[in-house]
Structures are given as structure tokens and as C-alpha cells.
Amino acid sequence: MEIFKDLTDADLIENAKETYNKEIDYIGMDDLSIFSWKNKHLKLTMLKVFWDNGNDNMAMFMYAEISDKDDFIYSDITDRTHNIQFETSNNNLERFAYIKRNIIKDAKPIFSSLFTHTGSSYSLHSSYTEDGSNILAEMAPYYWGKEFAKNEYLKASKNLSKNLLDDSLDLVNNKYYTDRFHFNEILNDINSEQFTLELNDCLKAYEHGFWFVCATGIGSVIEHLLYLSLKRLDNKYKAEHTVKEYIKKHPLKGLSKDPTKMDYINRFEQYDKDFNYRTENHINSTFILRNSIDHYSSGYSSKSICDMMFQGIADFYEGIYLRY
């Protein structure tokens, strides 16, 4: 008997992704970077496990992991889960842990994607239809897609609200950052409340291991620092030129309302003869580092990248901001 009588792997993936995207539309978030399937290909795995829990006598465990293409795998592991260790697990997380330790050792499941779908083949709406297909199995990807998107949203919302918006966490004054990067000296000199808040948010993200959020934030802090440096250069240029010369051209004149790093680099090159290719390469390298981190980067490497980017803030303060 075929468990999926008329549905291909492509059909099951389409069903799952359709409900996943519908749930994201319902959530209504502008930032889609927290949703794995919006940024990566996923391999969906459905495992039929041994199940004997009251009226329910069937269960499908599902999870997703990063892949080079969207794929669907079905496996019946009933015999391998028909044992006292699996049956006496306290909850489905413990059952997933058992499966991970003993059956899918090399898999790297996305935690938010873990999903269990249970039912009875003896209920009024039988899991098996006359043509032999299994409705319980066919519906699992449908429900899984919705729950996966919801879990990713809830996880991101909890992390952001708990850690990034906690004003009591004043990490700028943490001695580690003060001694290593001299942030207090930098902030006292710049004296910008907005700049301080932006940097503090990055440090909160760093403290809690949110490397993608931290790196993205540091990139914005560096862009802000480049703007403040260009503003100082503009004031210096104004002091060294006549009013007529300044009105005709100056570093801030015609700058885009949403300038990029290249906009800043071009202005520094145009108005500062000592701005050289080494400084330009340093800026470019820092932004390449920022773009190298995603939600799935390993913790150790991502932490090191954030450290280097924090050092970039100190370097650009000393090497660019203080020059003007």
C-alpha cells in the first residue's frame, strides 16, 4: 500500500510551502530574514514512528534542514521506535532527541521546524481512503508549514523583545567592551544619543549570541559613524573656504538621503587627499564580513566576525572621525 497514493514529492513540498507562505502573509512582518524557507532551500523529512497513545495510533514526525535544493524524504521507522525507551519518553521533544541520537545522527534539524502530527486510522474519518492513500500523512506537510512559520516568528519575537528592547541592559558601560574597544571614550566624544542607542543594541545582540542581528546592526553603526565623520569634514571644509566656495561645493552637498558606503568613500576620496586605498579596503572588508553572516552561521566563526567588526568601529573612529 502506498502511503501517498497520488501525491509526488513535489506536491508535498508545494503543499507545505503554500501554507508556510500563507502563514507569513498572515503574520504580516516586513523583515522576512527570520523565515528560513524565504532565504534557503530546505529538505523536509517525514518519519512514521511507532505510536500507541490512547485513541491515536499513528504519528508522523517532521523536521527540516538546510539543503542545496527543496526536497522531501519519507521514512517508516516504526520498527526502530517500537521500544521501551521511545515509548516511555515524557514528551515529543524527548522522542525527537531519541530519534536524533539513534536514527538520524547526521541530520541537522532546524529546531523551529520540529512537528508532530498524530491521528487514528480507526476514527470516523479514516486515515486511509478507498484508494489506499493515507490522509494523515498527506495532511502532515500542510499543517507543518503553518506551524513552522509560526514557530520562527514566535522565536524571533521573543528574542527581540526580551533582549534588544530591555533598556535595563546597559552594555556600553560593561568593562569588557570599555577596556577592549574604548567605547565609552568614543561615545563621550561623539556625544550622539542615537549613535549610543544603536551601538548598545548591537552589544545586547552580541551578549545573547544573536550574531546575524549584531553584524547587521554594526554595519548600520559604521555607516552612521561615516556620516558623522563626513559631517566633521564638511565643517572643516567650511572653515577653510570662503562662503562662495562652500556654497558652490562641499562634502555634504548633494549627498543621497540614503547614502551607501560607496557614497561615503567617494566623498572622502574627493575631499580628503590623505584618504587612501588602505582605508577604503578596510571599510569594504568590514562590510564583506557583515554580509558573510546569516542565521545559520556557526557560533564561533560568527562571534569572531562580530569582534572584528566592533574593532572596525574603533579603527574608523581613530582613523577617520578624529582626522577632521
Side-chain angles (χ1 to χ4, degrees), residues 253-269:
K253 184 175 182 179
L255 186 69
S256 168
K257 291 183 179 180
D258 188 20
T260 65
K261 68 175 176 64
M262 285 309 304
D263 291 327
Y264 292 121
I265 288 173
N266 290 337
R267 292 302 172 102
F268 287 125
E269 287 179 338

Side-chain angles (χ1 to χ4, degrees), residues 164-182:
L164 297 183
L165 301 181
D166 183 1
D167 291 333
S168 66
L169 199 61
D170 186 12
L171 293 174
V172 168
N173 292 318
N174 185 303
K175 183 173 171 53
Y176 172 80
Y177 303 112
T178 300
D179 289 350
R180 183 171 183 184
F181 303 115
H182 308 288

Side-chain angles (χ1 to χ4, degrees), residues 121-153:
S121 59
Y122 307 114
S123 65
L124 180 62
H125 301 289
S126 175
S127 292
Y128 291 99
T129 61
E130 292 182 1
D131 64 5
S133 62
N134 186 301
I135 293 176
L136 182 72
E138 291 178 358
M139 291 302 292
Y142 176 89
Y143 291 117
W144 171 85
K146 179 177 181 178
E147 291 301 311
F148 182 22
K150 184 188 299 182
N151 288 340
E152 289 187 301
Y153 165 72

Side-chain angles (χ1 to χ4, degrees), residues 245-279:
E245 289 172 331
Y246 178 80
I247 292 175
K248 184 176 180 181
K249 71 168 189 174
H250 56 94
L252 288 178
K253 184 175 182 179
L255 186 69
S256 168
K257 291 183 179 180
D258 188 20
T260 65
K261 68 175 176 64
M262 285 309 304
D263 291 327
Y264 292 121
I265 288 173
N266 290 337
R267 292 302 172 102
F268 287 125
E269 287 179 338
Q270 181 180 355
Y271 289 94
D272 179 3
K273 61 182 178 61
D274 294 323
F275 186 89
N276 56 46
Y277 72 93
R278 290 187 179 87
T279 306

Side-chain angles (χ1 to χ4, degrees), residues 94-219:
E94 288 189 7
R95 295 183 182 98
F96 263 115
Y98 173 87
I99 293 171
K100 178 71 174 71
R101 283 195 310 272
N102 298 281
I103 302 175
I104 55 170
K105 298 178 181 179
D106 296 329
K108 298 179 180 179
I110 300 171
F111 185 80
S112 299
S113 73
L114 302 183
F115 177 69
T116 306
H117 192 53
T118 62
S120 171
S121 59
Y122 307 114
S123 65
L124 180 62
H125 301 289
S126 175
S127 292
Y128 291 99
T129 61
E130 292 182 1
D131 64 5
S133 62
N134 186 301
I135 293 176
L136 182 72
E138 291 178 358
M139 291 302 292
Y142 176 89
Y143 291 117
W144 171 85
K146 179 177 181 178
E147 291 301 311
F148 182 22
K150 184 188 299 182
N151 288 340
E152 289 187 301
Y153 165 72
L154 291 174
K155 179 182 177 182
S157 298
K158 180 180 178 181
N159 288 341
L160 289 171
S161 62
K162 179 180 178 181
N163 299 309
L164 297 183
L165 301 181
D166 183 1
D167 291 333
S168 66
L169 199 61
D170 186 12
L171 293 174
V172 168
N173 292 318
N174 185 303
K175 183 173 171 53
Y176 172 80
Y177 303 112
T178 300
D179 289 350
R180 183 171 183 184
F181 303 115
H182 308 288
F183 282 155
N184 273 346
E185 297 174 24
I186 294 172
L187 295 176
N188 288 335
D189 184 29
I190 291 177
N191 193 27
S192 165
E193 182 179 358
Q194 182 63 33
F195 187 82
T196 300
L197 290 173
E198 290 173 0
L199 179 57
N200 203 37
D201 279 349
C202 295
L203 294 173
K204 291 173 187 176
Y206 180 95
E207 189 80 356
H208 293 282
F210 301 142
W211 312 122
F212 178 80
V213 176
C214 180
T216 301
I218 297 174

